[in-house]
Amino acid sequence: MVTCLPSETPLERVADEDTADQIGVDPTQHNSWRVALYYCYIDLSNVSEHVEFHRQLCKKLSLNGRIRVSSEGLNGVLTGLFSDLKQYEDKVLEQLLELSPHDDSPMDMIDLDVKYCFLREDLPIQPQLFDKLICKETSSVISLFDNAHLAATSESSTKQNSTRRSKQSNRRQRRKQQRQEGKKQSIEKEMSGGKAALSAELPRIQNEMMKLSPSQHLTAEEWNDKLRRADGENALLLDVRNIYESRVGHFSSSNVPTLLTNTRKYSDLPELLAENPNMKDKEEVFMYCTGGVRCERVSMLVQAMYPQTKVYQLKGGIQRYLRELENEKMCLFKGKNFVFDPRRTDPVHFGETVGHCLVCEAPHDDYDNGNAPSESKEARCNTCRMLVLICSQCRPRYLCWGESEGEEGKLEGADLENKSREPRPRLYCSIDRCVHEGARPQPELTETNTQTEGASRLSAIV
C-alpha cells in the first residue's frame, strides 16, 4: 500500500488520470494537480523559436517550472492542473513536428517521454507548485561532461564573485572563495597524477559515445524479470543519480548488487565509471535514474567504455517504475524517490525507510524535518551546502547552513526542550567536517539482500 494515500493504490491513480479530463476540475483538491516530468531527444533546427513557444504556451496555461531547450532536444519539469498539462503535452508534440528537420516524421516517431506525478497529500497544494517559469536555451539536454575542467574552476569563481548578491555577508564570500580554491587545488593534484591520462582520454570517449544509440529500454515488468534471472557475479545495478538522491531510496535486488555512485553532480560520472573496478568485466549492467533522461546519455557512455557489456536502462526511470507496479511485493525499489521539484520526494512509495540520521543513525529520510521544501528549512552542510539527513531530535544540537545562533525558525517541530544552552557546533556532511569539498565521496556497493528484506548493507569501494 502507498503510505501517503492509503485509500488509493498506484493503479487506481492511473485510472483517475484516464478520466481526469472528463470530470469537473476542483483546484482545491490535490488530485486536480500534477507535476509533469518529461524529456525528448530530437534534433531541433530552431531552438530560439522553440524556447519562445514554451514561454508563451506555459503563460497561457498558467504552468510554471524549469525547461531546458537545446539543438538535441528538451528536458523539463512543470506543475499545473492536470488538464492544462495534458494540453501542453499535445501542443508540444505538434510543435516538435513543425520544428523537427525531418518533415516526414510521423507523430509516433516523436518520443516525448512524459510522467505525470501526484502531489504529496501531507503538504498543502500551493507550496508544492513552482512559483515561476524558467525556460532557457542550453548547449545540451543534460550536461554529462564538464569539458572546461581546470579553466572552468577559475572562470566560474570570477563570474560568481562578480554576480554575487550584495546582501551576502563578507563571511560567506570568504567561505566561497576558500571552497573554490580548495576545489582548484584538488583538481590540480588529480591532474598531476594518473587521472591526467584519463582526463585526456575523455574527449575521445565522448566522441565515440555520440556515434552510438541509447541502450535497450526495459519496462518495470521486464526490469524485474531480467534482474531475477541475472547472474549476480556478472551483473550490476547502476544508480546514476547523486548521493543525496540515493540516500533516501534506491533499487535493491536479491541477487544483483547495486553500485551507488555517490556523485555530487552528473558530470562526475564519466571519470567515476571509467575508474571503478566494479564496472569491469560485467556481462550486464542495469542502470536507472529518476525519470530516464540521464540514463539515455550514460547508457551510451558505458557502451563506449565497455563495448562487451550488455547495457539496459529502466524506461521512464524510477518514476514510471513505481506507477506501473501492482503491489509492494513486486517492488525492487526501496525507500523514496527524490525529485527536483517543490515536493522533494514523490508520494508513491511503500513505507520502507532506507535513509538514516547522520548523527545518531536512526532511520530518517526527511531532509526538511516535517516542513514543506519550499520553506527552505532543509538541513545542509555548512561548507558544500549538500543536503544532509539529520533527525528532528539531533538537529537542535547543530547549526545547519543558513542558520545562526538563536534562530529558531528552522527548528519548528524539533525537540527544542533538549537544545543545549552552549553554542551549537556547525553541521557538515560528515558531522564535524566536510568531506566533499576537494574530494569526492567514494562509491558504495550494496550486497545482495536475500536475508535482509531489502535493507542494504553498504561497503565502501576505495
Side-chain angles (χ1 to χ4, degrees):
M1 179 180 292
V2 179
T3 58
C4 57
L5 292 175
S7 61
E8 291 183 308
T9 68
L11 287 181
E12 287 172 339
R13 294 183 181 185
V14 173
D16 288 342
E17 290 185 359
D18 295 335
T19 58
D21 56 352
Q22 302 174 11
I23 60 177
V25 175
D26 183 356
T28 66
Q29 298 299 312
H30 283 67
N31 194 49
S32 297
W33 300 86
R34 296 289 189 280
V35 179
L37 178 67
Y38 71 92
Y39 70 91
C40 181
Y41 283 97
I42 183 174
D43 294 333
L44 296 178
S45 58
N46 194 330
V47 176
S48 59
E49 180 180 337
H50 200 62
V51 169
E52 185 60 24
F53 161 78
H54 280 280
R55 288 173 177 166
Q56 294 300 322
L57 180 58
C58 288
K59 181 179 180 180
K60 178 181 178 181
L61 297 174
S62 300
L63 304 178
N64 289 324
R66 299 186 301 268
I67 305 172
R68 292 169 59 100
V69 185
S70 77
S71 59
E72 64 177 19
L74 60 150
N75 179 20
V77 55
L78 296 171
T79 56
L81 290 170
F82 177 61
S83 55
D84 292 334
L85 288 168
K86 290 292 289 183
Q87 289 186 55
Y88 172 83
E89 179 185 0
D90 293 340
K91 294 296 183 182
V92 169
L93 280 171
E94 294 176 5
Q95 183 73 354
L96 288 176
L97 284 173
E98 294 180 9
L99 296 183
S100 172
H102 307 293
D103 296 332
D104 57 345
S105 297
M107 182 73 77
D108 58 5
M109 293 298 291
I110 304 296
D111 189 13
L112 179 62
D113 188 297
V114 184
K115 280 78 60 178
Y116 290 104
C117 318
F118 282 82
L119 300 188
R120 290 169 50 177
E121 289 280 347
D122 61 324
L123 296 174
I125 293 174
Q126 193 61 40
Q128 300 185 69
L129 307 178
F130 285 107
D131 59 4
K132 61 183 177 181
L133 175 70
I134 299 176
C135 183
K136 60 182 180 179
E137 181 174 347
T138 59
S139 60
S140 60
V141 168
I142 190 165
S143 302
L144 177 57
F145 287 90
D146 181 10
N147 292 321
H149 209 47
L150 271 174
T153 303
S154 176
E155 293 174 0
S156 175
S157 179
T158 301
K159 181 178 180 181
Q160 290 172 4
N161 286 336
S162 65
T163 59
R164 185 177 291 111
R165 296 178 181 178
S166 59
K167 69 177 182 180
Q168 288 182 309
S169 67
N170 291 332
R171 182 180 62 184
R172 290 185 180 179
Q173 291 183 21
R174 289 195 299 270
R175 286 206 305 266
K176 192 160 191 174
Q177 291 170 352
Q178 291 170 355
R179 292 198 305 271
Q180 293 288 354
E181 183 61 27
K183 183 176 181 181
K184 180 177 180 181
Q185 292 175 357
S186 173
I187 293 176
E188 290 173 343
K189 182 178 179 181
E190 289 180 1
M191 293 296 289
S192 65
K195 290 188 177 181
L198 176 58
S199 295
E201 184 72 3
L202 285 180
R204 183 195 65 80
I205 295 176
Q206 182 178 8
N207 290 332
E208 288 296 317
M209 65 169 275
M210 296 311 295
K211 300 175 184 178
L212 303 173
S213 298
S215 66
Q216 179 181 345
H217 294 84
L218 299 179
T219 64
E221 183 178 354
E222 293 169 339
W223 177 267
N224 283 1
D225 183 60
K226 281 191 175 293
L227 282 175
R228 290 192 184 98
R229 294 187 289 107
D231 178 2
E233 294 294 324
N234 297 302
L236 184 70
L237 261 166
L238 178 63
D239 191 326
V240 306
R241 301 172 303 153
N242 296 316
I243 184 171
Y244 50 85
E245 299 173 77
S246 59
R247 280 291 182 259
V248 297
H250 55 78
F251 273 96
S252 184
S253 171
S254 62
N255 63 314
V256 178
T258 302
L259 180 63
L260 305 178
T261 53
N262 285 348
T263 53
R264 286 295 314 282
K265 59 184 186 299
Y266 187 54
S267 57
D268 288 340
L269 276 173
E271 287 190 8
L272 184 149
L273 296 177
E275 295 174 333
N276 193 274
N278 295 287
M279 292 296 301
K280 303 182 185 300
D281 302 322
K282 294 298 182 184
E283 295 179 2
E284 295 179 307
V285 169
F286 301 82
M287 66 175 58
Y288 65 92
C289 60
T290 305
V293 64
R294 284 178 278 187
C295 284
E296 296 284 356
R297 285 293 182 254
V298 181
S299 68
M300 297 161 64
L301 174 67
V302 172
Q303 290 178 88
M305 289 180 170
Y306 305 100
Q308 304 305 315
T309 300
K310 178 62 176 177
V311 182
Y312 302 99
Q313 59 176 310
L314 181 58
K315 183 174 179 60
I318 302 166
Q319 190 66 54
R320 179 164 289 134
Y321 176 89
L322 291 174
R323 296 296 305 279
E324 290 182 353
L325 294 177
E326 293 182 357
N327 55 59
E328 180 179 0
K329 293 182 179 179
M330 298 175 61
C331 186
L332 300 180
F333 186 82
K334 310 302 178 183
K336 294 180 179 179
N337 183 24
F338 185 101
V339 292
F340 294 92
D341 61 61
R343 300 172 302 159
R344 188 86 72 194
T345 56
D346 188 82
V348 180
H349 63 93
F350 296 104
E352 183 171 356
T353 301
V354 302
H356 62 270
C357 174
L358 179 67
V359 178
C360 70
E361 298 189 353
H364 181 68
D365 59 9
D366 183 7
Y367 287 112
D368 303 281
N369 296 96
N371 299 291
S374 61
E375 297 180 51
S376 300
K377 296 181 179 181
E378 70 274 10
R380 292 183 180 273
C381 171
N382 272 283
T383 298
C384 68
R385 302 184 186 179
M386 190 183 76
L387 287 166
V388 175
L389 286 172
I390 179 170
C391 70
S392 296
Q393 284 67 45
C394 293
R395 184 164 179 177
R397 295 157 42 195
Y398 294 88
L399 281 175
C400 297
W401 175 80
E403 296 176 354
S404 59
E405 196 64 56
E407 180 184 4
E408 310 296 347
K410 294 196 175 187
L411 299 175
E412 292 178 4
D415 186 6
L416 297 178
E417 295 181 359
N418 295 330
K419 189 180 68 172
S420 172
R421 294 181 179 275
E422 298 296 324
R424 292 179 288 164
R426 294 189 175 277
L427 181 70
Y428 299 92
C429 49
S430 186
I431 303 181
D432 58 352
R433 65 187 178 91
C434 177
V435 299
H436 300 301
E437 282 300 312
R440 294 174 182 167
Q442 293 297 322
E444 296 174 78
L445 188 71
T446 68
E447 299 178 12
T448 54
N449 64 350
T450 304
Q451 302 298 325
T452 59
E453 296 183 356
S456 301
R457 305 186 300 276
L458 304 179
S459 56
I461 305 299
V462 180

